[in-house]
Amino acid sequence: MEKEGNRGPVLRDFLAQGTVCEGLIRTLEDGTFVHAYLITGMEGTGKRTLAREMARYLLCRGENKPCGECESCHQVQMDTHPDLLHVRPGYHVSSDIPTDHGKNDIIVDTIRELVGLVSEHGFASDKRIVLMEQAEKMNTAAQNALLKTLEEPPENVLFLLTSSSPGTLLPTIISRCRQIALHPWTDEQVRDVLEKNGFTGDRALQAVHAAGGSIGRALSMAGDESYWESRNKVMEQFLNLKDRSSIYGIASEWKDAKDQGLDMLDTLEDMVRTMLLCHVGQADPGLMAPYPVQFQRMVKEGENRSFLRLLTSIQNARARRLSQVNWQAVLERLMLDIMEEKSKW
Ligand SMILES: [Zn+2]
């Protein structure tokens, strides 16, 4: 279930995908949309988000659709709208209750349940929207059951199927749907969307890099203040270490935070990997701007093994964290390793 406040892409962000999405948004605006869509694309392209945004648009009761203010918009976002029927593998329709069979499948019983629900009149609006995630998880019986409804759809019902591997769907299902193929997002497109949402400069650059082509991840990361706070803290304390005397102070500050230590190590590892990627020319050199000058020099002039030594130190700390070794001592050792590597540059 989605949490309100999590900032993901909105309908207009999908305009960056080009003509297919431009056409789709136009049909929503002028009411010429068809009764079934199959949204395809790799992981991270925003299939489910696009389907939800379409639902939000069509169920919105505000002026500027989707307004994001009305009760319908909130309900769609929270997955509680009575006219949005949500189907996902392993669960009953619009429910967190697992089905008895087919833990990872969409089974025929679920489709029968769905068919029963769509033929009822809408509760809150004049339409019902079916959002089916991972449609390829329907087994053959389920697909055949759905096919009958797709062939003779009840009035005012819109089917939004999403799938990252539509090849396993029956051709007859595919031919009943208008296909919307989402492309992997290029870094430029992600940056463009971030900019339109007010994220620029260093933060945008870092989010594009860390999101690895996932538009949802890029946006939620760019807007996640606590992520940036903890990232800056790790950068300041572990990479910007001034001298040996500060090590004890920092380690004692972290000594009661062994649980958060894993996140810290992940962040640190991510930073070193980014340096390595910049070093070998596989990431935007602009990513190095916030890094301490010695590390920037190492990225320019260093050898791969400098970064590998840092990664080994982090992995050792990870292993010792799980052992009986005192956590504060683990941190002190890690910081000494980092200082030693830094001192060479
Ligand atoms: Zn609204």
Side-chain angles (χ1 to χ4, degrees):
M1 301 272 156
E2 303 286 316
K3 274 203 207 95
E4 204 151 12
N6 275 5
R7 174 69 177 87
V10 295
L11 192 58
R12 305 208 73 79
D13 290 334
F14 285 90
L15 288 171
Q17 281 269 326
T19 48
V20 172
C21 286
E22 285 166 19
L24 172 68
I25 291 170
R26 215 164 32 239
T27 62
L28 292 177
E29 285 168 351
D30 63 20
T32 57
F33 52 90
V34 296
H35 78 279
Y37 288 89
L38 172 62
I39 304 170
T40 62
M42 286 160 53
E43 290 306 312
T45 47
K47 300 179 292 296
R48 190 183 57 169
T49 305
L50 176 58
R52 192 179 296 279
E53 282 298 290
M54 290 171 71
R56 212 156 69 96
Y57 184 96
L58 293 169
L59 294 171
C60 174
R61 293 191 218 143
E63 286 288 310
N64 248 331
K65 296 176 196 296
C67 72
E69 303 288 332
C70 72
E71 198 190 354
S72 278
C73 280
H74 286 294
Q75 285 176 326
V76 172
Q77 198 63 30
M78 301 295 282
D79 217 358
T80 55
H81 197 293
D83 293 331
L84 178 65
L85 304 170
H86 187 185
V87 181
R88 56 194 172 129
Y91 293 91
H92 286 284
V93 179
S94 293
S95 164
D96 283 331
I97 301 166
T99 48
D100 293 338
H101 306 287
K103 217 164 123 220
N104 296 308
D105 289 332
I106 297 171
I107 56 175
V108 67
D109 288 353
T110 305
I111 299 299
R112 287 193 187 122
E113 191 185 332
L114 175 71
V115 170
L117 288 166
V118 294
S119 50
E120 290 171 11
H121 287 293
F123 288 118
S125 65
D126 55 354
K127 45 181 96 65
R128 316 212 85 181
I129 297 179
V130 176
L131 195 171
M132 184 186 292
E133 284 179 49
Q134 297 177 276
E136 76 279 2
K137 297 285 173 72
M138 279 188 288
N139 58 32
T140 310
Q143 291 195 47
N144 279 317
L146 180 67
L147 189 58
K148 287 195 196 103
T149 307
L150 284 180
E151 280 167 345
E152 287 165 30
E155 252 185 274
N156 296 325
V157 177
L158 174 66
F159 289 87
L160 302 171
L161 278 52
T162 73
S163 177
S164 52
S165 46
T168 55
L169 289 170
L170 296 174
T172 39
I173 294 258
I174 295 175
S175 69
R176 293 282 160 188
C177 300
R178 182 174 292 175
Q179 199 163 336
I180 303 290
L182 295 180
H183 309 294
W185 294 72
T186 64
D187 284 357
E188 285 68 30
Q189 286 172 329
V190 175
R191 203 170 302 153
D192 193 39
V193 172
L194 287 178
E195 201 171 295
K196 286 201 171 75
N197 285 281
F199 300 113
T200 53
D202 182 47
R203 185 180 287 206
L205 193 62
Q206 307 280 344
V208 168
H209 168 70
S214 163
I215 185 67
R217 202 163 126 74
L219 271 167
S220 69
M221 186 175 268
D224 182 352
E225 292 307 324
S226 66
Y227 170 80
W228 294 98
E229 264 170 42
S230 65
R231 196 183 155 88
N232 288 342
K233 188 176 166 190
V234 171
M235 172 83 81
E236 181 60 34
Q237 295 193 321
F238 290 82
L239 296 186
N240 248 334
L241 270 171
K242 295 287 175 256
D243 49 50
R244 279 170 181 264
S245 62
S246 56
I247 287 182
Y248 180 78
I250 296 169
S252 69
E253 194 188 318
W254 278 88
K255 76 175 192 303
D256 295 324
K258 193 175 176 180
D259 290 343
Q260 291 100 295
L262 192 59
D263 283 344
M264 182 273 285
L265 291 174
D266 285 347
T267 305
L268 200 53
E269 188 170 0
D270 177 57
M271 286 173 173
V272 177
R273 276 190 202 291
T274 304
M275 287 194 261
L276 180 56
L277 285 173
C278 288
H279 171 67
V280 296
Q282 287 181 9
D284 189 328
L287 287 167
M288 285 302 107
Y291 285 67
V293 65
Q294 285 99 325
F295 287 116
Q296 293 190 24
R297 207 175 294 140
M298 186 167 134
V299 166
K300 274 198 195 126
E301 302 161 16
E303 294 177 32
N304 289 355
R305 59 180 172 207
S306 306
F307 304 102
L308 298 177
R309 276 197 296 268
L310 283 173
L311 288 172
T312 305
S313 297
I314 296 165
Q315 274 150 22
N316 287 342
R318 209 189 282 283
R320 288 202 200 101
R321 180 180 164 273
L322 297 174
S323 71
Q324 295 302 310
V325 181
N326 174 289
W327 169 235
Q328 193 173 346
V330 172
L331 290 170
E332 287 174 14
R333 175 64 199 274
L334 174 62
M335 284 188 270
L336 281 171
D337 286 353
I338 293 171
M339 276 212 78
E340 194 188 324
E341 209 55 59
K342 192 176 160 186
S343 69
K344 295 174 189 166
W345 300 96

